[in-house]
Amino acid sequence: MNPYILTILLFAMGLGTTITFASSHWLLAWMGLEINTLAILPLMCQSHHPRAVEATIKYFLTQATAAAMLLFASITNAWITGQWNLEFMSYSLPTTLVTVALALKIGLAPLHAWMPEVLQGLDLTTGLILSTWQKLAPFCLLLQINPSNTSLLLILGLASTLVGGWGGLNQNQLRKILAYSSIAHLGWMILVLQFFPSLTLLTLLMYFVMTFSLFITFKVNNSTTINSLSMSWSKAPIISSMVPFILLSLGGLPPLSGFMPKWLILQELTKQSLAPLATLAALSALLSLYFYLRISYAMTLTMSPNILSNALPWRLPSNQHTLPLAITTSLTICLLPLTPAIITLLTL
Amino acid sequence: MLKILIPSMFMLLTTWTSPFKQLWSTILMYSFLVATLSLTWLAMPTDTGWFYINNYMAYDPLSSPLLVLTCWLLPLMIIASQNHLAAEPENRQRTYISLLISLQIFLILAFSATEMIMFYVMFEATLIPTLIIITRWGNQMERLNAGTYFLFYTLAGSLPLLVALLIYHSSMGSLSYLSLTSLPLTCSNLYADKLWWMACLLAFLVKMPLYGVHLWLPKAHVEAPIAGSMVLAAVLLKLGGYGMMRIMIILDPLTKELSYPFIILALWGVIMTGSICLRQTDLKSLIAYSSVSHMGLVAAGILIQTPWGFTGALILMIAHGLTSSALFCLANTNYERTHSRTIILARGLQMVLPLMATWWFLASLANLALPPLPNLMGEIMIITSLFNWSFYTLILTGLGTLITASYSLYMFLLTQRGPIPHHLILLEPSHTREHLLLALHLLPLLLLIAKPELVWGWTA
């Protein structure tokens, strides 16, 4: 893509999210979300492949619906309470509508159906932006509204972890697996939103780090299906040996950093006397772990015992910038002992 | 405590920076030094209480035998793995040794943890190196399934444990072992408390394993390479027993009624898995089911919560660790020669490998709990305390002892005695390394006859 146009689009994406971060007026927040959506659309269909165009259209339709619902809810709130401030939503109808609209925006179950199909149509870099950056603005809004209905967020959260687990079980396309993993992690974030919002932020940031590592690993290997991962040990052996740890960290296994958000969320839920919910959510993480384990089997744990001199793919020189991958992989594996420091930082 | 842990951590560095020609000898010597140093943990100046406390780690007469067993096992695993890894590329060998060392580090941290969440994190952390060892270095296609069963059985049991520990923490304020005995006990009759009791114990019952949830064990033990089988049988199962013994303190008085079905299941499992052993064709599978059988007795001994029960359980855990690991090493000597685990393919070995037959003999005798070995001491104490708890258990435990004796003798007679098949006449002679390995397993067992006070915990 023309570098000037790319610059404008990326700048506009950053601008949209920043406007939403900085806003306390509902119209400004909605505007930021719309700028964000519109800016990413050309990035999504830049290859002009019919599948990519289809993904772009699906994304546009769902995000436009969500934004319209958001606008409707904020107008209703303005009609009832006479003010447009973000934090002062005290009536249940607008608050519930806003929550559902934002759930559609980020792809929580049962409003998740667009996510796997959209991610499947994109290339890995744009998919990464969709999974990480595009979640920031809606979460900023979710963190600021006072939830009216305790059960709504819990149902959204639990349904997302279960759907994210079960949906990914039958997939062999990596982007769909990443979509379902995103849904499951978003479920965990929403579970604790009304009790300890800093944990939502922590989970979001940890998810960003872990999924960044995974997306970039797949990009380095240029693979989009599980089968094509099996040749990655010859292209990049060290990345292949780190991938099981990244995947197990996404699955939430101690002593890797992915355990940190799950542990803290379970602690908060048990403090709020929601122990059966905590157990159910923890067990649903096992579903996701199954397909993470399957990917790690395909990539690393079935590596051939000796170096084969034949049956190797062409290794063309690549100028991939792998420094970000190195940083995020280290963070994904080694961050658990810093949990007290991170909690203190987030609750300042 | 740190003088063992920090050298173990730096052993990882040594693995990656040694010159390749000296890798195995360096690591072996280093791990033997650490193991010898760890023997100081057995010296207990007082009978009860905690030693060598810092804020996060301590040990007491319950954990010190298990810690010494863990440290002792690493050099043994290295000796055992040398042969089958010799053909691999250099970096893979270093990776394998790093996995074994990291497993030891996690196990030391688990057994010396003073707080239950630390124990939980390290309990789960041991799963990852073991999973990688089983699925990457196992030899058959079924190893992937074995790894999945291993990981998911253990995790499905331990996630409720995490929630249960967090519930206890939120209501009692602390999960430190040092204060668990003085915190008020939970005495209520709500159904939710019974579920909480179950959640606390399920993880350890799956790990031990209890008979109904034992399916992961034969798969994992059989598909793992020798070091994986050794560490699984010798130490990882004992994590379950150790965890159960630690958490029993807070589970009274619910345990008096709720433990009935699990004691019965454990005892029934002793008989059932013993009977399955009599019909096995796969040697490693036989030893794996014999592990389930012995650990069923340990589980029953812990669940009745008497001093002799706890002592018997601890001694049986240590003795079974050494014996089972020795049996897996013996099975591995067969496997390295015939590349098959089928028993009838390697029969009559006394004719060809007479010195190895001595070790087979001693290991089989230890497995069937011959006096005066500590295996017998553990089993007798558990059987006696079970008899005290209820007369009828004697039927089950007596039958179990009989079946154990039969399958151990069956295994010995089938592999060592009888005519040797023609294809085994030119079998490779026993290596000194293999004799050393088995001597290092069985000599501590024989020496424990003289001073079992070292391993009988803090109740006797």
Side-chain angles (χ1 to χ4, degrees):
Chain A
M1 186 180 260
N2 189 343
Y4 300 116
I5 303 203
L6 188 61
T7 313
I8 293 179
L9 289 173
L10 290 175
F11 184 69
M13 261 197 328
L15 180 69
T17 309
T18 316
I19 289 179
T20 312
F21 279 174
S23 65
S24 52
H25 192 287
W26 267 118
L27 274 183
L28 201 63
W30 170 81
M31 205 165 77
L33 286 174
E34 287 285 84
I35 294 176
N36 210 359
T37 310
L38 288 175
I40 202 177
L41 293 178
L43 280 173
M44 290 167 93
C45 59
Q46 61 182 324
S47 66
H48 299 293
H49 186 270
R51 185 67 182 82
V53 175
E54 175 191 338
T56 316
I57 304 274
K58 281 181 183 161
Y59 184 71
F60 172 67
L61 287 174
T62 52
Q63 301 289 307
T65 313
M69 218 165 21
L70 192 68
L71 192 59
F72 175 65
S74 53
I75 291 175
T76 313
N77 188 44
W79 187 258
I80 299 177
T81 59
Q83 50 85 33
W84 291 86
N85 204 316
L86 270 184
E87 290 130 20
F88 303 142
M89 296 189 78
S90 36
Y91 288 88
S92 63
L93 173 66
T95 319
T96 314
L97 264 180
V98 162
T99 315
V100 172
L102 290 171
L104 177 56
K105 253 213 185 292
I106 55 179
L108 283 173
L111 305 158
H112 64 282
W114 59 273
M115 180 85 116
E117 299 165 20
V118 167
L119 255 180
Q120 179 62 25
L122 307 175
D123 60 301
L124 284 164
T125 322
T126 318
L128 174 63
I129 299 177
L130 177 64
S131 294
T132 52
W133 185 261
Q134 299 291 88
K135 308 281 187 262
L136 278 175
F139 261 103
C140 154
L141 294 176
L142 273 170
L143 281 168
Q144 290 180 299
I145 58 180
N146 286 322
S148 60
N149 192 355
T150 320
S151 343
L152 174 66
L153 287 172
L154 295 178
I155 292 174
L156 283 174
L158 189 63
S160 299
T161 54
L162 289 170
V163 162
W166 259 306
L169 283 178
N170 203 22
Q171 307 292 341
N172 53 9
Q173 290 287 332
L174 287 173
R175 288 167 289 180
K176 284 208 173 109
I177 290 181
L178 286 165
Y180 282 108
S181 130
S182 174
I183 296 171
H185 281 269
L186 289 171
W188 277 92
M189 294 175 215
I190 292 295
L191 273 176
V192 78
L193 183 61
Q194 47 190 327
F195 306 121
F196 198 168
S198 310
L199 280 186
T200 305
L201 206 54
L202 168 69
T203 315
L204 188 65
L205 294 173
M206 273 310 309
Y207 171 67
F208 280 6
V209 170
M210 296 191 287
T211 206
F212 183 90
S213 315
L214 203 57
F215 264 100
I216 300 297
T217 306
F218 293 154
K219 185 159 188 316
V220 164
N221 291 316
N222 202 18
S223 54
T224 53
T225 61
I226 298 188
N227 283 338
S228 60
L229 280 176
S230 55
M231 273 302 166
S232 66
W233 64 270
S234 57
K235 294 181 211 163
I238 302 197
I239 296 181
S240 302
S241 53
M242 287 293 119
V243 158
F245 297 110
I246 302 177
L247 287 163
L248 293 176
S249 185
L250 268 169
L253 230 49
L256 306 165
S257 355
F259 179 61
M260 184 192 345
K262 292 203 163 64
W263 172 20
L264 295 167
I265 291 177
L266 289 173
Q267 187 170 28
E268 191 55 39
L269 287 175
T270 54
K271 278 192 201 153
Q272 304 283 340
S273 314
L274 286 170
L277 175 70
T279 318
L280 253 161
L283 290 173
S284 69
L286 284 182
L287 292 166
S288 318
L289 184 64
Y290 184 74
F291 54 79
Y292 294 140
L293 192 64
R294 191 165 49 195
I295 301 179
S296 68
Y297 279 171
M299 195 162 173
T300 314
L301 295 171
T302 49
M303 225 190 268
S304 132
N306 300 17
I307 309 264
L308 299 172
S309 55
N310 50 352
L312 290 176
W314 284 100
R315 277 185 285 173
L316 303 164
S318 80
N319 46 4
Q320 308 260 16
H321 303 291
T322 46
L323 179 61
L325 177 62
I327 298 175
T328 50
T329 310
S330 317
L331 289 176
T332 313
I333 297 177
C334 304
L335 215 48
L336 188 67
L338 281 177
T339 308
I342 296 177
I343 286 295
T344 319
L345 280 174
L346 279 172
T347 52
L348 274 174
Chain B
M1 183 59 67
L2 281 180
K3 67 178 173 288
I4 306 290
L5 189 61
I6 295 197
S8 299
M9 290 187 189
F10 276 88
M11 228 192 303
L12 279 173
L13 189 64
T14 316
T15 317
W16 285 96
T17 54
S18 306
F20 182 60
K21 279 198 164 71
Q22 302 154 7
L23 174 68
W24 288 92
S25 6
T26 313
I27 293 295
L28 188 59
M29 183 195 71
Y30 197 139
S31 52
F32 260 125
L33 280 174
V34 170
T36 318
L37 267 180
S38 77
L39 288 173
T40 57
W41 281 332
L42 285 175
M44 286 171 282
T46 64
D47 279 320
T48 58
W50 297 85
F51 309 110
Y52 286 97
I53 284 189
N54 62 36
N55 274 339
Y56 310 104
M57 301 196 300
Y59 69 93
D60 72 339
L62 175 58
S63 53
S64 67
L66 292 163
L67 279 165
V68 175
L69 183 64
T70 310
C71 295
W72 185 247
L73 211 69
L74 182 62
L76 268 48
M77 286 196 278
I78 295 195
I79 297 177
S81 313
Q82 238 171 315
N83 194 10
H84 76 91
L85 283 181
E88 297 227 1
E90 174 189 332
N91 280 339
R92 307 265 174 101
Q93 297 190 26
R94 291 185 200 261
T95 313
Y96 192 79
I97 300 177
S98 313
L99 284 169
L100 296 179
I101 297 174
S102 60
L103 199 52
Q104 185 190 31
I105 296 174
F106 288 141
L107 283 166
I108 294 179
L109 284 169
F111 284 126
S112 59
T114 50
E115 218 248 343
M116 287 233 66
I117 297 276
M118 174 73 158
F119 173 71
Y120 176 82
V121 171
M122 291 303 145
F123 175 83
E124 300 273 290
T126 57
L127 291 177
I128 297 181
T130 319
L131 175 74
I132 298 180
I133 292 177
I134 296 178
T135 51
R136 169 62 187 82
W137 274 277
N139 281 319
Q140 277 76 35
M141 200 182 72
E142 291 81 13
R143 70 190 196 275
L144 298 175
N145 213 8
T148 311
Y149 265 71
F150 169 64
L151 192 67
F152 281 87
Y153 262 79
T154 315
L155 280 176
S158 61
L159 284 170
L161 171 67
L162 180 61
V163 178
L165 287 177
L166 291 170
I167 293 175
Y168 187 82
H169 183 88
S170 69
S171 64
M172 292 297 168
S174 163
L175 277 172
S176 172
Y177 290 150
L178 312 172
S179 54
L180 275 181
T181 50
S182 49
L183 283 171
L185 303 167
T186 53
C187 299
S188 67
N189 284 324
L190 297 174
Y191 189 63
D193 283 317
K194 297 183 183 161
L195 283 177
W196 174 81
W197 180 92
M198 189 64 234
C200 282
L201 275 185
L202 187 63
F204 304 121
L205 290 173
V206 169
K207 194 83 174 164
M208 285 205 76
L210 186 68
Y211 175 56
V213 289
H214 68 288
L215 276 180
W216 64 272
L217 188 135
K219 287 191 197 310
H221 275 84
V222 164
E223 302 300 331
I226 179 61
S229 291
M230 285 167 74
V231 76
L232 266 172
V235 190
L236 289 177
L237 302 187
K238 308 342 180 217
L239 263 180
Y242 173 76
M244 235 159 84
M245 286 206 240
R246 287 289 184 211
I247 210 165
M248 278 296 185
I249 305 172
I250 59 176
L251 292 177
D252 235 8
L254 287 165
T255 318
K256 287 204 187 80
E257 289 135 15
L258 291 176
S259 58
Y260 267 85
F262 300 102
I263 300 178
I264 306 299
L265 202 53
L267 291 174
W268 185 239
V270 171
I271 298 181
M272 289 304 292
T273 49
S275 317
I276 295 176
C277 282
L278 287 168
R279 297 290 293 166
Q280 285 296 327
T281 54
D282 182 337
L283 187 55
K284 276 182 95 164
S285 196
L286 198 157
I287 306 171
Y289 276 108
S290 114
S291 278
V292 180
S293 178
H294 287 283
M295 295 310 281
L297 211 48
V298 170
I302 297 177
L303 282 167
I304 56 176
Q305 298 178 284
T306 60
W308 270 37
F310 268 38
T311 306
L314 184 57
I315 299 189
L316 187 54
M317 286 204 288
I318 304 293
H320 169 261
L322 289 167
T323 313
S324 201
S325 184
L327 281 170
F328 274 115
C329 291
L330 286 166
N332 190 48
T333 60
N334 274 6
Y335 182 77
E336 282 179 1
R337 285 167 176 74
T338 59
H339 284 289
S340 163
R341 297 190 301 255
T342 316
I343 304 183
I344 53 178
L345 275 185
R347 272 177 300 170
L349 293 174
Q350 188 168 11
M351 284 291 116
V352 184
L353 305 172
L355 290 177
M356 201 51 80
T358 319
W359 300 121
W360 271 104
F361 187 50
L362 282 175
S364 306
L365 290 179
N367 204 19
L368 58 88
L370 191 77
L373 290 166
N375 305 62
L376 176 78
M377 185 172 183
E379 285 196 13
I380 285 258
M381 291 179 97
I382 296 179
I383 293 176
T384 318
S385 53
L386 275 171
F387 181 67
N388 184 26
W389 178 75
S390 156
F391 303 142
Y392 302 104
T393 58
L394 192 63
I395 307 171
L396 294 170
T397 49
L399 199 55
T401 317
L402 178 65
I403 297 183
T404 307
S406 2
Y407 70 69
S408 302
L409 265 181
Y410 169 69
M411 177 176 67
F412 173 67
L413 292 174
L414 202 53
T415 53
Q416 303 303 116
R417 297 292 163 87
I420 181 160
H422 292 292
H423 63 267
L424 289 182
I425 298 179
L426 288 177
L427 215 52
E428 197 183 320
S430 305
H431 300 263
T432 315
R433 174 183 60 86
E434 294 166 347
H435 286 303
L436 175 66
L437 180 62
L438 288 156
L440 287 173
H441 273 106
L442 295 173
L443 278 177
L445 202 58
L446 296 174
L447 289 172
L448 274 176
I449 303 175
K451 198 173 165 69
E453 294 102 64
L454 296 174
V455 299
W456 71 21
W458 76 131
T459 52

